[in-house]
DNA sequence: ATTTTGGTTCTGTAATTACAGAATTAAAAA
DNA sequence: TTTTTAATTCTGTAATTACAGAACCAAAAT
């Protein structure tokens, strides 16, 4: 299955996307390959061949991606290969985690506020406002996601 | 102004937080210093001394942090120094940008869907569902932030 | 006019990252 | 039993990152 030029370009684009999120380049490209691949699943060797990388790199990448829940695999009867794929079932909770990661800063800011003296009332006030805002977002994100699930179900 | 041990620890913690977001360690520690500092503003030299880093490192960091809008400075009459600080006014739009960054993936996924054939209806369907979800979140985030502003104003 | 202050820019480097390649292993096939 | 397949693990390395240090520069103070 030779990939089209367009698909190859997309894999690179997806790779860059995940690289921006702190992942190693190859890790993101593997996710990209799974996304654009017709079967939406790839074997170890297919990754090696399509992306032109070493087996060691693929092995490390798959170990990491599986450990972090980004990738899973299934097997087929009478076939020794593993078929790696994206676990698409629960993307909502994935997204929720990502969104909540941003508001994690709340905890640190709370500590900052405790540690700060009273000499700079203006700044302390801004900080408190910011904290209120973060807390608001933190509370509303799960509500938002629940709202989506409701709407979808109806 | 000698910083307390607790504040120093907090600076490191904040540094790690921003390092996780892809920033250089020092960049995050400078933001941390500004957060815990009583005056909530620091001079170039104060950064050098409190964080025990070179002037070049501080210069580079401040250039970057100002370019990306994370840091600003003001001056004082009869004082040549710049007083660097966090621009706390518009943290809501900062947060909005961060949240919207996550849903940027929508654009790439849309391209993926266009490029995929019809052979894997199941996967394509999951992809479409995921896209719907991302679009929903993308639409609702600005609404959420507006809601906060309303509530605060009243 | 020269020195000092506040900061920048350039050059080098230790440490880390992101792999490649070879050796290795474990299970299944021949 | 030997060989093949599917993957892992270990070792090395090119490239990049995150700084330090020194030289430099411009404006203000002396």
């Amino acid at each position: 299955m030779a990939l089209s030029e367009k698909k190859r370009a997309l894999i690179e684009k997806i790779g860059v996307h995940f690289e921006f999120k702190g992942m190693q380049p190859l890790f993101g490209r593997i996710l990209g390959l799974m996304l654009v691949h017709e079967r939406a699943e790839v074997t170890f060797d297919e990754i090696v061949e399509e992306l032109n990388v070493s087996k060691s790199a693929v092995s490390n990448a798959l170990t990491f991606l599986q450990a972090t829940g980004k990738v899973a695999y299934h097997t087929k009867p009478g076939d020794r290969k593993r078929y790696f794929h994206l676990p698409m079932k629960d993307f909502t909770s994935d997204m929720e985690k990502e969104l909540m990661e941003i508001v994690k800063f709340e905890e640190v800011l709370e500590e900052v506020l405790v540690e700060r003296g009273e000499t700079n009332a203006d700044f302390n006030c801004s900080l408190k406002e910011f904290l209120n805002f973060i807390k608001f977002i933190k509370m509303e994100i799960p509500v938002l996601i629940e709202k989506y699930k409701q709407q979808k179900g109806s």
Side-chain angles (χ1 to χ4, degrees), chain A:
Chain A
M1 220 257 332
L3 291 163
S4 69
E5 276 315 300
K6 185 77 219 254
K7 280 191 175 180
R8 289 193 187 286
L10 262 174
I11 289 172
E12 295 307 313
K13 202 166 183 174
I14 294 163
V16 170
H17 176 87
F18 284 103
E19 208 176 334
F20 252 78
K21 290 197 177 179
M23 268 191 196
Q24 289 184 21
L26 175 59
F27 294 12
R29 265 181 277 144
I30 289 177
L31 299 179
L33 177 58
M34 290 169 181
L35 270 169
V36 304
H37 195 281
E38 272 311 305
R39 294 197 324 269
E41 61 179 21
V42 280
T43 65
F44 190 98
D45 286 331
E46 283 175 328
I47 298 172
V48 167
E49 282 156 36
E50 296 291 3
L51 301 183
N52 273 298
V53 285
S54 67
K55 292 204 291 169
S56 61
V58 172
S59 180
N60 284 329
L62 289 176
T63 300
F64 175 87
L65 291 170
Q66 289 176 94
T68 54
K70 307 276 182 195
V71 159
Y73 74 80
H74 59 104
T75 49
K76 297 179 180 186
D79 188 345
R80 208 132 65 86
K81 285 173 200 152
R82 292 172 193 168
Y83 290 81
F84 298 96
H85 61 92
L86 305 169
M88 295 291 283
K89 326 139 222 264
D90 209 24
F91 47 77
T92 59
S93 74
D94 267 19
M95 181 63 70
E96 186 167 359
K97 260 182 227 161
E98 270 195 87
L99 293 169
M100 291 308 256
E101 198 58 38
I102 289 184
V103 293
K104 271 253 165 129
F105 197 40
E106 185 218 346
E107 295 162 29
V108 196
L109 279 189
E110 209 85 65
E111 286 190 72
V112 168
L113 199 56
V114 169
E115 220 52 35
R116 288 188 60 81
E118 303 293 322
T119 58
N120 197 330
D122 263 21
F123 185 77
N124 289 354
C125 187
S126 298
L127 207 56
K128 277 173 199 163
E129 262 195 69
F130 189 19
L131 264 166
N132 268 331
F133 175 62
I134 295 184
K135 280 183 213 160
F136 173 81
I137 298 292
K138 198 175 184 174
M139 271 188 54
E140 294 292 333
I141 284 172
V143 176
L144 206 62
I145 288 168
E146 200 47 46
K147 188 174 153 195
Y148 173 79
K149 286 179 182 166
Q150 292 288 317
Q151 156 207 298
K152 199 192 65 172
S154 67

